[in-house]
Coordinates of all heavy atoms in Angstrom, one line a residue:
D368 N -59.5 -26.3 47.5 CA -59.9 -27.7 47.8 C -58.8 -28.7 47.2 O -58.8 -28.8 46.0 CB -61.3 -28.0 47.2 CG -61.8 -29.4 47.4 OD1 -60.9 -30.2 47.8 OD2 -63.0 -29.6 47.4
P369 N -58.0 -29.3 48.0 CA -56.9 -30.1 47.4 C -57.4 -31.3 46.6 O -56.8 -31.6 45.6 CB -56.2 -30.6 48.7 CG -57.0 -30.2 49.9 CD -58.0 -29.2 49.4
S370 N -58.5 -31.9 46.9 CA -58.9 -33.0 46.1 C -59.5 -32.6 44.8 O -59.3 -33.3 43.8 CB -59.9 -33.9 46.9 OG -61.1 -33.2 47.2
A371 N -60.1 -31.4 44.7 CA -60.5 -30.9 43.4 C -59.2 -30.6 42.5 O -59.2 -30.9 41.3 CB -61.3 -29.6 43.5
D372 N -58.2 -30.1 43.2 CA -56.9 -29.9 42.5 C -56.4 -31.2 41.9 O -55.8 -31.3 40.8 CB -55.9 -29.2 43.4 CG -56.2 -27.8 43.7 OD1 -57.1 -27.2 43.1 OD2 -55.6 -27.2 44.6
Q373 N -56.5 -32.2 42.7 CA -56.0 -33.5 42.3 C -56.8 -34.0 41.1 O -56.2 -34.6 40.2 CB -56.0 -34.5 43.5 CG -55.3 -35.8 43.2 CD -55.5 -36.9 44.2 OE1 -56.2 -36.7 45.1 NE2 -54.8 -38.0 44.0
A374 N -58.1 -33.9 41.2 CA -58.9 -34.3 40.0 C -58.5 -33.6 38.8 O -58.4 -34.2 37.7 CB -60.4 -34.0 40.4
Q375 N -58.2 -32.3 38.9 CA -57.8 -31.5 37.8 C -56.4 -32.0 37.2 O -56.2 -32.2 36.0 CB -57.6 -30.0 38.2 CG -57.8 -29.1 37.1 CD -58.1 -27.7 37.6 OE1 -57.7 -27.3 38.6 NE2 -58.9 -26.9 36.8
A376 N -55.5 -32.4 38.2 CA -54.2 -32.9 37.8 C -54.3 -34.2 37.0 O -53.5 -34.5 36.2 CB -53.3 -33.0 39.0
L377 N -55.4 -34.9 37.4 CA -55.6 -36.2 36.7 C -56.5 -36.1 35.5 O -56.9 -37.1 34.9 CB -56.1 -37.3 37.7 CG -55.2 -37.6 38.8 CD1 -55.9 -38.5 39.9 CD2 -54.0 -38.3 38.3
N378 N -56.8 -34.9 35.1 CA -57.5 -34.6 33.9 C -58.9 -35.3 33.9 O -59.5 -35.8 33.0 CB -56.8 -35.2 32.6 CG -55.6 -34.4 32.3 OD1 -55.6 -33.1 32.2 ND2 -54.4 -35.0 32.2
Y379 N -59.6 -35.2 35.1 CA -60.9 -35.7 35.3 C -61.9 -34.9 34.4 O -61.8 -33.6 34.3 CB -61.4 -35.5 36.7 CG -62.8 -35.8 36.9 CD1 -63.4 -37.1 36.8 CD2 -63.7 -34.7 37.2 CE1 -64.7 -37.3 37.0 CE2 -65.1 -35.0 37.3 CZ -65.6 -36.3 37.2 OH -66.9 -36.5 37.4
V380 N -62.7 -35.6 33.7 CA -63.8 -35.0 32.9 C -65.1 -35.6 33.4 O -65.2 -36.8 33.7 CB -63.6 -35.1 31.4 CG1 -62.5 -34.2 30.9 CG2 -63.4 -36.5 31.0
E381 N -66.2 -34.8 33.4 CA -67.5 -35.3 33.8 C -68.1 -36.2 32.7 O -69.0 -37.0 33.0 CB -68.5 -34.2 34.1 CG -68.1 -33.4 35.3 CD -69.1 -32.3 35.6 OE1 -69.9 -31.9 34.8 OE2 -68.9 -31.8 36.8
N382 N -67.6 -36.1 31.5 CA -68.2 -36.9 30.4 C -67.0 -37.6 29.7 O -66.1 -36.9 29.1 CB -68.9 -35.9 29.4 CG -70.0 -36.6 28.7 OD1 -69.8 -37.7 28.2 ND2 -71.1 -35.9 28.5
A383 N -67.0 -38.9 29.8 CA -65.8 -39.7 29.3 C -65.5 -39.3 27.8 O -64.3 -39.3 27.5 CB -66.0 -41.2 29.5
S384 N -66.5 -39.0 27.0 CA -66.2 -38.8 25.6 C -65.3 -37.5 25.5 O -64.7 -37.4 24.4 CB -67.5 -38.6 24.8 OG -68.3 -37.6 25.4
D385 N -65.4 -36.6 26.5 CA -64.5 -35.4 26.4 C -63.0 -35.8 26.6 O -62.2 -34.9 26.4 CB -64.9 -34.4 27.5 CG -66.3 -33.8 27.2 OD1 -66.8 -33.9 26.1 OD2 -66.9 -33.2 28.2
A386 N -62.7 -37.0 27.0 CA -61.3 -37.4 27.1 C -60.8 -38.1 25.9 O -59.7 -38.6 25.9 CB -61.2 -38.4 28.3
S387 N -61.6 -38.1 24.8 CA -61.2 -38.9 23.6 C -59.9 -38.5 23.0 O -59.2 -39.3 22.3 CB -62.3 -38.9 22.6 OG -62.6 -37.5 22.2
D388 N -59.4 -37.2 23.3 CA -58.1 -36.8 22.8 C -57.0 -37.1 23.7 O -55.8 -36.7 23.4 CB -58.2 -35.3 22.4 CG -58.5 -34.4 23.6 OD1 -59.0 -35.0 24.6 OD2 -58.3 -33.2 23.5
H389 N -57.3 -37.7 24.9 CA -56.2 -38.0 25.9 C -55.6 -39.3 25.5 O -56.3 -40.3 25.3 CB -56.8 -38.1 27.3 CG -55.8 -38.0 28.4 ND1 -55.0 -39.1 28.6 CD2 -55.5 -37.1 29.2 CE1 -54.1 -38.8 29.6 NE2 -54.4 -37.5 30.0
P390 N -54.2 -39.3 25.4 CA -53.5 -40.6 25.0 C -53.8 -41.8 25.9 O -53.7 -42.9 25.4 CB -52.1 -40.2 25.1 CG -52.0 -38.9 25.7 CD -53.3 -38.2 25.7
A391 N -54.2 -41.6 27.1 CA -54.5 -42.7 28.0 C -55.9 -43.2 27.9 O -56.2 -44.3 28.5 CB -54.2 -42.3 29.5
Y392 N -56.7 -42.5 27.2 CA -58.1 -42.9 27.2 C -58.4 -44.0 26.1 O -57.9 -43.9 25.0 CB -59.0 -41.7 26.9 CG -60.5 -42.0 26.7 CD1 -61.3 -42.3 27.8 CD2 -61.0 -42.0 25.4 CE1 -62.6 -42.6 27.6 CE2 -62.4 -42.3 25.2 CZ -63.2 -42.6 26.3 OH -64.5 -43.0 26.2
S393 N -59.2 -45.0 26.5 CA -59.7 -46.0 25.5 C -61.2 -46.0 25.6 O -61.8 -45.9 26.7 CB -59.1 -47.4 25.8 OG -57.7 -47.4 25.6
E394 N -61.8 -46.2 24.5 CA -63.3 -46.1 24.4 C -63.9 -47.2 25.4 O -63.4 -48.3 25.5 CB -63.8 -46.4 23.0 CG -65.1 -45.9 22.7 CD -65.5 -46.0 21.3 OE1 -64.7 -46.0 20.4 OE2 -66.8 -46.2 21.0
G395 N -64.9 -46.8 26.0 CA -65.6 -47.7 27.0 C -65.2 -47.5 28.4 O -65.8 -48.0 29.3
E396 N -64.1 -46.8 28.7 CA -63.6 -46.5 30.0 C -64.5 -45.5 30.7 O -64.7 -44.4 30.1 CB -62.1 -46.1 30.0 CG -61.2 -47.1 29.5 CD -59.7 -46.7 29.4 OE1 -59.5 -45.5 29.7 OE2 -58.9 -47.5 29.1
R397 N -65.0 -45.7 31.8 CA -65.9 -44.8 32.5 C -65.7 -45.0 34.0 O -65.3 -46.1 34.5 CB -67.4 -45.2 32.3 CG -67.9 -45.2 30.9 CD -69.3 -45.8 30.8 NE -70.2 -45.6 31.9 CZ -71.3 -44.7 31.9 NH1 -71.5 -44.1 30.7 NH2 -72.0 -44.5 32.9
C398 N -66.0 -44.0 34.8 CA -65.8 -44.1 36.2 C -66.6 -45.3 36.8 O -66.0 -46.0 37.6 CB -66.4 -42.8 36.9 SG -65.2 -41.4 36.7
D399 N -67.8 -45.6 36.3 CA -68.5 -46.7 36.9 C -68.0 -48.1 36.5 O -68.6 -49.1 36.9 CB -70.0 -46.5 36.7 CG -70.5 -46.5 35.3 OD1 -69.7 -46.8 34.4 OD2 -71.7 -46.3 35.1
N400 N -67.0 -48.2 35.6 CA -66.4 -49.5 35.4 C -64.9 -49.4 35.8 O -64.1 -50.2 35.3 CB -66.6 -50.0 34.0 CG -66.1 -49.2 32.9 OD1 -65.2 -48.3 33.1 ND2 -66.6 -49.4 31.7
C401 N -64.5 -48.5 36.7 CA -63.1 -48.3 37.2 C -63.0 -48.9 38.5 O -64.0 -48.9 39.3 CB -62.9 -46.8 37.2 SG -61.3 -46.4 38.1
M402 N -61.9 -49.5 38.8 CA -61.7 -50.1 40.1 C -61.8 -49.2 41.3 O -62.0 -49.6 42.5 CB -60.5 -51.0 40.2 CG -59.2 -50.2 40.3 SD -57.7 -51.3 40.6 CE -58.0 -51.7 42.3
F403 N -61.6 -47.9 41.1 CA -61.7 -46.9 42.2 C -63.1 -46.3 42.4 O -63.3 -45.5 43.3 CB -60.7 -45.7 41.9 CG -59.3 -46.2 41.8 CD1 -58.6 -46.1 40.7 CD2 -58.7 -46.7 43.0 CE1 -57.3 -46.5 40.6 CE2 -57.3 -47.1 42.9 CZ -56.6 -47.0 41.7
W404 N -64.1 -46.8 41.6 CA -65.5 -46.3 41.7 C -66.1 -46.9 43.0 O -65.9 -48.0 43.3 CB -66.2 -46.8 40.5 CG -67.7 -46.6 40.5 CD1 -68.7 -47.5 40.6 CD2 -68.4 -45.3 40.4 NE1 -69.9 -46.9 40.5 CE2 -69.8 -45.6 40.4 CE3 -67.9 -44.0 40.3 CZ2 -70.7 -44.6 40.4 CZ3 -68.9 -43.0 40.2 CH2 -70.3 -43.3 40.3
Q405 N -66.9 -46.0 43.6 CA -67.6 -46.4 44.8 C -69.1 -46.3 44.5 O -69.7 -45.2 44.5 CB -67.3 -45.4 45.9 CG -65.8 -45.2 46.2 CD -65.3 -46.0 47.4 OE1 -65.4 -45.6 48.5 NE2 -64.9 -47.2 47.1
A406 N -69.6 -47.5 44.2 CA -71.0 -47.5 43.8 C -72.0 -46.9 44.8 O -72.9 -46.1 44.5 CB -71.4 -48.9 43.5
E407 N -71.7 -47.2 46.1 CA -72.7 -46.7 47.1 C -72.7 -45.2 47.3 O -73.8 -44.6 47.4 CB -72.3 -47.3 48.5 CG -72.9 -48.7 48.6 CD -72.6 -49.4 50.0 OE1 -72.6 -48.6 51.0 OE2 -72.5 -50.6 50.0
S408 N -71.6 -44.6 47.2 CA -71.6 -43.1 47.4 C -71.5 -42.4 46.1 O -71.4 -41.1 46.1 CB -70.4 -42.7 48.3 OG -69.2 -43.2 47.7
Q409 N -71.5 -43.1 44.9 CA -71.3 -42.4 43.6 C -70.0 -41.6 43.6 O -70.1 -40.4 43.2 CB -72.5 -41.6 43.3 CG -73.8 -42.4 43.2 CD -74.0 -43.1 41.9 OE1 -74.3 -42.4 40.9 NE2 -73.9 -44.4 41.9
G410 N -69.0 -42.1 44.1 CA -67.7 -41.3 44.2 C -66.5 -42.2 43.8 O -66.7 -43.3 43.3
C411 N -65.4 -41.6 44.1 CA -64.1 -42.2 43.7 C -63.2 -42.3 44.9 O -63.1 -41.3 45.7 CB -63.5 -41.3 42.6 SG -61.8 -41.8 42.2
Q412 N -62.6 -43.4 45.0 CA -61.7 -43.6 46.2 C -60.5 -42.6 46.2 O -60.0 -42.2 47.2 CB -61.1 -45.0 46.2 CG -62.0 -46.1 46.5 CD -61.4 -47.4 46.3 OE1 -60.2 -47.6 46.7 NE2 -62.2 -48.4 45.8
L413 N -60.2 -42.1 45.0 CA -59.1 -41.1 44.9 C -59.5 -39.7 45.3 O -58.6 -38.9 45.6 CB -58.5 -41.1 43.5 CG -57.9 -42.5 43.0 CD1 -57.2 -42.2 41.6 CD2 -57.1 -43.2 44.0
F414 N -60.8 -39.4 45.1 CA -61.3 -38.1 45.4 C -62.4 -38.2 46.4 O -63.6 -37.8 46.1 CB -61.7 -37.3 44.2 CG -60.9 -37.5 43.0 CD1 -61.4 -38.0 41.8 CD2 -59.5 -37.2 43.0 CE1 -60.6 -38.2 40.7 CE2 -58.7 -37.3 41.9 CZ -59.2 -37.8 40.7
P415 N -62.2 -38.6 47.6 CA -63.3 -38.9 48.5 C -64.1 -37.7 48.9 O -65.3 -37.9 49.3 CB -62.6 -39.5 49.7 CG -61.2 -39.1 49.7 CD -60.9 -39.0 48.2
Q416 N -63.6 -36.5 48.7 CA -64.4 -35.3 49.1 C -65.3 -34.8 48.0 O -66.1 -33.9 48.2 CB -63.4 -34.1 49.4 CG -63.2 -33.9 50.9 CD -62.1 -34.9 51.4 OE1 -61.1 -35.0 50.9 NE2 -62.5 -35.6 52.5
N417 N -65.2 -35.4 46.8 CA -66.0 -34.9 45.6 C -66.9 -36.0 45.2 O -66.6 -37.2 45.3 CB -65.0 -34.6 44.5 CG -64.1 -33.4 44.8 OD1 -63.1 -33.6 45.5 ND2 -64.5 -32.2 44.5
S418 N -68.0 -35.6 44.6 CA -68.8 -36.6 43.8 C -68.3 -36.7 42.4 O -67.7 -35.8 41.9 CB -70.3 -36.2 43.8 OG -70.4 -34.9 43.1
V419 N -68.4 -37.9 41.8 CA -67.8 -38.2 40.5 C -69.0 -38.7 39.7 O -69.8 -39.4 40.1 CB -66.7 -39.2 40.7 CG1 -66.3 -39.8 39.4 CG2 -65.5 -38.6 41.4
E420 N -69.0 -38.2 38.4 CA -70.1 -38.7 37.5 C -69.8 -40.2 37.1 O -68.7 -40.5 36.8 CB -70.1 -37.8 36.2 CG -70.5 -36.4 36.5 CD -71.9 -36.3 36.9 OE1 -72.8 -37.1 36.4 OE2 -72.2 -35.5 37.8
P421 N -70.9 -41.0 37.1 CA -70.7 -42.4 36.7 C -70.1 -42.5 35.3 O -69.3 -43.4 35.0 CB -72.1 -42.9 36.7 CG -72.9 -42.0 37.5 CD -72.3 -40.7 37.5
G422 N -70.4 -41.5 34.4 CA -69.9 -41.5 33.0 C -68.7 -40.7 32.8 O -68.4 -40.4 31.7
G423 N -68.0 -40.3 33.9 CA -66.8 -39.5 33.9 C -65.6 -40.4 33.6 O -65.7 -41.6 33.4
W424 N -64.4 -39.7 33.6 CA -63.2 -40.4 33.4 C -62.0 -39.6 33.9 O -62.1 -38.4 33.9 CB -63.0 -40.6 31.9 CG -61.7 -41.4 31.5 CD1 -61.6 -42.8 31.4 CD2 -60.5 -40.8 31.1 NE1 -60.3 -43.0 31.0 CE2 -59.6 -41.9 30.9 CE3 -60.0 -39.5 31.1 CZ2 -58.2 -41.7 30.5 CZ3 -58.6 -39.3 30.7 CH2 -57.8 -40.4 30.4
C425 N -60.9 -40.2 34.3 CA -59.7 -39.5 34.5 C -58.5 -40.5 34.2 O -58.7 -41.7 33.9 CB -59.5 -39.0 36.0 SG -58.8 -40.2 37.1
Q426 N -57.3 -39.9 34.1 CA -56.2 -40.7 33.6 C -55.8 -41.8 34.6 O -54.9 -42.6 34.2 CB -55.0 -39.8 33.2 CG -54.4 -39.1 34.4 CD -53.4 -38.1 33.9 OE1 -53.7 -37.3 33.0 NE2 -52.2 -38.1 34.5
S427 N -56.3 -41.9 35.8 CA -56.1 -43.0 36.7 C -57.0 -44.2 36.5 O -57.0 -45.1 37.3 CB -56.1 -42.5 38.2 OG -55.0 -41.7 38.4
W428 N -57.8 -44.1 35.5 CA -58.8 -45.2 35.2 C -58.0 -46.5 35.2 O -57.0 -46.6 34.6 CB -59.5 -45.0 33.9 CG -60.6 -46.1 33.7 CD1 -61.9 -46.0 34.1 CD2 -60.4 -47.3 33.1 NE1 -62.5 -47.2 33.7 CE2 -61.6 -48.0 33.2 CE3 -59.3 -48.0 32.6 CZ2 -61.8 -49.3 32.7 CZ3 -59.5 -49.3 32.1 CH2 -60.7 -49.9 32.1
T429 N -58.6 -47.5 36.0 CA -58.0 -48.8 36.0 C -59.1 -49.8 36.0 O -60.2 -49.7 36.7 CB -57.2 -49.0 37.4 OG1 -56.2 -47.9 37.5 CG2 -56.5 -50.3 37.5
A430 N -59.0 -50.9 35.2 CA -60.0 -51.9 35.1 C -60.3 -52.5 36.4 O -59.4 -52.8 37.2 CB -59.6 -52.9 34.0
Q431 N -61.6 -52.8 36.6 CA -62.0 -53.6 37.8 C -61.4 -55.0 37.6 O -61.4 -55.6 36.5 CB -63.5 -53.6 37.9 CG -64.1 -52.3 38.3 CD -65.6 -52.2 38.2 OE1 -66.2 -53.2 37.7 NE2 -66.2 -51.2 38.7
S432 N -61.0 -55.6 38.7 CA -60.5 -57.0 38.6 C -61.6 -58.0 38.8 O -62.6 -57.7 39.3 CB -59.4 -57.2 39.7 OG -59.9 -56.8 41.0
Ligands
SF4_758 FE1 -63.3 -42.0 37.7 FE2 -61.6 -44.0 38.2 FE3 -60.7 -41.6 37.7 FE4 -61.9 -42.1 40.0 S1 -60.0 -43.0 39.3 S2 -62.2 -40.3 38.7 S3 -63.5 -43.6 39.3 S4 -61.8 -42.9 36.3

């Protein structure tokens, strides 16, 4: 599954606190406050084939504008 591989490459974790040792992670960053979050489908624009946990995180996290 290529999109699962991509999630792995971006260090996706289902629980944002598990990313606390990642240099790109800052406290409070979660999928559901990321600009790529899709509220209606509970998914991520970067991984459209996968469901993403609202409290997850990956290194592509970007603040909503
Ligand atoms: Fe979550 Fe954003 Fe990463 Fe998608 S890009 S997995 S919504 S942190």
Side-chain angles (χ1 to χ4, degrees):
D368 183 339
S370 61
D372 290 347
Q373 192 188 3
Q375 204 160 34
L377 293 173
N378 293 306
Y379 170 73
V380 291
E381 292 185 344
N382 208 318
S384 59
D385 292 341
S387 56
D388 59 346
H389 194 289
Y392 174 76
S393 296
E394 204 174 331
E396 297 175 355
R397 303 167 37 107
C398 287
D399 63 4
N400 62 19
C401 170
M402 72 173 285
F403 298 113
W404 174 247
Q405 306 262 274
E407 278 182 32
S408 58
Q409 301 275 291
C411 170
Q412 287 173 41
L413 302 189
F414 319 124
Q416 260 82 52
N417 296 83
S418 62
V419 169
E420 292 296 321
W424 181 88
C425 88
Q426 68 190 48
S427 289
W428 185 91
T429 304
Q431 290 171 350
S432 52

